């Protein structure tokens, strides 16, 4: 699906180039002040893309529920936005399924409506470790915790869907999903752990989850998209060594596709709001358009999804196993 933004993404020139910002997306959709009856939840709003996504969506007039592990850090990062009577902060530590359940319960107590759920938070290249519940860090935080959150908010998402605007779930994935499928034989990477493989597998899980949500609930008016925001200089890189950052910076192809935070939030906001996407879902979005399968001849950083991105048998297998792991 080519969009009005396709052409400008063919010749990226680095952060701050002509590629759209999230604010431009919203302006193009004509949504300033038009979402006063809608409710949006965004995870990971103490820094980076979560803060920018919240800032831009706030201009629609929607009610925002913003989650963070450290609410004081979130208040500082959000600035004046945190003082708005339309903004509500919720504590959520994705390292703990108990915290996910508590956050969902608190939200459901406060709101009977949820039109858009944006699962933005995540970790990348973390050293080998386990969540409170014993899952490999990337798999537990990026995938299982967000799947549980969706399941606990699903009744509200379904009830909030209307003919005018079907409810949407936006799950931030990554170009990194192309580096690893989910290892069903060793989900926790008990053997041969590598941070990039762990991260990649969790991002494949994100892509599969969005597609599976679409398969199961799309006919009921609940749609999901996975999102590749593009490389941006955010806190996600805190586990990446200086040498690796320097190597990345020296790669001209990678340097050209880097985005500002404002540009990095654009595809998320497009996925959450675009009229062109109404009534559909299940695909991998990139550069404000539905992405095609990656063509390796275009180079390591060329856009596109992995060959396994839409493997229905594997996504169904992961879904069933994940529900079991989170106790559903």
């Amino acid at each position: 699906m080519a969009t009005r933004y396709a052409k400008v993404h063919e010749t990226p020139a680095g952060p701050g180039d002509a590629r759209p910002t999230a604010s431009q997306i919203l302006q193009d959709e004509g949504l300033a002040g038009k979402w006063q009856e809608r409710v949006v939840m965004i995870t990971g709003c103490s820094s980076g893309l979560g803060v920018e996504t919240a800032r831009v969506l706030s201009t629609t007039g929607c009610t925002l529920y913003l989650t963070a592990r450290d609410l004081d850090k979130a208040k500082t990062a959000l600035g004046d936005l945190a003082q708005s009577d339309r903004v509500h902060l919720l504590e959520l530590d994705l390292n703990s399924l108990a915290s996910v359940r508590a956050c969902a319960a608190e939200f459901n107590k406060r709101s009977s409506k949820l039109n858009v759920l944006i699962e933005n938070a995540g970790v990348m290249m973390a050293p080998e470790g386990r969540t409170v519940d014993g899952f490999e860090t990337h798999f537990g935080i990026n995938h299982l915790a967000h799947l549980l959150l969706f399941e606990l908010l699903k009744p509200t998402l379904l009830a909030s869907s209307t003919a005018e605007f079907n409810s949407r779930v936006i799950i931030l994935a990554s170009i990194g999903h192309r580096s690893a499928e989910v290892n069903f034989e060793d989900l926790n990477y008990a053997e041969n752990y590598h941070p990039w493989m762990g991260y990649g597998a969790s991002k494949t899980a994100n892509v599969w989850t969005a597609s599976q949500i679409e398969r199961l609930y799309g006919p009921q008016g609940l749609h999901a998209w996975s999102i590749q925001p593009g490389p941006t200089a955010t806190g996600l890189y805190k586990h990446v060594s200086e040498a690796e950052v320097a190597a990345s910076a020296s790669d001209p192809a990678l340097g050209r596709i880097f985005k500002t935070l404002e540009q990095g939030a654009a595809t998320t906001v497009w996925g959450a709001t675009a009229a062109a996407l109404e009534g559909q879902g299940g695909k991998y979005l990139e550069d404000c358009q539905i992405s095609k399968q990656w063509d390796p001849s275009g180079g390591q950083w060329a856009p596109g999804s992995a060959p396994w991105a839409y493997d229905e048998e594997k996504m169904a297998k992961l879904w069933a196993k994940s529900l079991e792991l989170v106790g559903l």
Side-chain angles (χ1 to χ4, degrees):
M1 174 185 175
T3 67
R4 62 193 298 178
Y5 310 108
K7 191 70 176 176
V8 73
H9 283 99
E10 291 176 2
T11 53
D17 62 2
R19 290 171 295 172
T21 63
S23 293
Q24 182 185 332
I25 298 296
L26 217 57
Q27 182 178 350
D28 291 346
E29 292 294 325
L31 291 177
K34 299 290 182 65
W35 270 25
Q36 295 187 26
E37 301 303 314
R38 293 193 182 144
V39 178
V40 177
M41 177 189 276
I42 308 171
T43 68
C45 290
S46 60
S47 66
L49 293 175
V51 172
E52 179 61 15
T53 302
R55 184 189 69 78
V56 172
L57 288 178
S58 71
T59 65
T60 67
C62 69
T63 297
L64 287 166
Y65 284 85
L66 309 178
T67 82
R69 185 180 59 214
D70 184 336
L71 295 185
D72 288 334
K73 182 181 177 183
K75 288 174 185 175
T76 299
L78 292 163
D80 291 344
L81 187 58
Q83 307 305 316
S84 169
D85 59 3
R86 286 185 169 271
V87 173
H88 309 279
L89 301 184
L90 297 173
E91 184 177 347
L92 173 61
D93 182 356
L94 293 165
N95 190 55
S96 161
L97 296 182
S99 179
V100 175
R101 293 187 179 93
C103 178
E106 181 64 21
F107 172 83
N108 286 325
K109 187 168 69 175
R110 294 198 201 183
S111 178
S112 60
K113 181 188 285 189
L114 180 59
N115 303 103
V116 180
L117 170 63
I118 300 176
E119 298 192 323
N120 163 84
V123 294
M124 181 177 80
M125 296 287 284
E128 186 170 9
R130 297 289 181 266
T131 66
V132 169
D133 304 282
F135 303 114
E136 189 276 318
T137 300
H138 296 97
F139 190 71
I141 290 176
N142 295 346
H143 169 57
L144 290 177
H146 273 129
L147 175 71
L148 177 60
L149 183 65
F150 163 75
E151 279 291 320
L152 297 174
L153 299 177
K154 181 178 68 184
T156 307
L157 284 160
L158 286 167
S160 304
S161 190
T162 65
E164 177 193 8
F165 185 83
N166 285 186
S167 295
R168 300 187 189 190
V169 179
I170 305 299
I171 304 176
L172 267 72
S174 166
I175 193 173
H177 84 278
R178 299 198 312 229
S179 67
E181 289 192 57
V182 172
N183 182 358
F184 287 103
E185 302 306 312
D186 187 10
L187 290 173
N188 274 330
Y189 279 95
E191 299 180 10
N192 302 316
Y193 176 76
H194 187 282
W196 188 245
M197 299 298 285
Y199 176 69
S202 74
K203 294 291 106 176
T204 287
N206 291 153
V207 173
W208 285 351
T209 296
S211 293
Q212 186 69 359
I213 289 172
E214 182 66 28
R215 291 176 68 201
L216 294 173
Y217 303 108
Q220 299 177 52
L222 172 55
H223 304 282
W225 302 94
S226 56
I227 300 284
Q228 147 66 344
T232 56
T234 70
L236 196 63
Y237 287 80
K238 69 180 180 180
H239 295 301
V240 181
S241 71
E242 289 185 12
E244 288 169 320
V245 171
S248 296
S250 66
D251 183 330
L254 180 57
R256 284 193 294 270
I257 66 171
F258 252 84
K259 300 178 179 181
T260 63
L261 268 180
E262 292 80 6
Q263 292 173 318
T267 303
T268 296
V269 169
W270 186 71
T273 66
L277 299 178
E278 182 58 30
Q280 54 183 314
K283 301 297 185 183
Y284 174 75
L285 303 183
E286 183 171 30
D287 293 338
C288 304
Q289 57 198 298
I290 297 175
S291 194
K292 299 177 181 178
Q293 185 172 312
W294 176 51
D295 179 357
S297 68
Q300 179 183 2
W301 304 111
S305 58
W308 55 80
Y310 302 118
D311 188 315
E312 294 186 357
E313 181 179 344
K314 289 179 180 176
M315 69 178 68
K317 180 179 180 179
L318 176 67
W319 184 269
K321 182 61 178 177
S322 299
L323 291 180
E324 175 189 325
L325 290 173
V326 299
L328 294 177

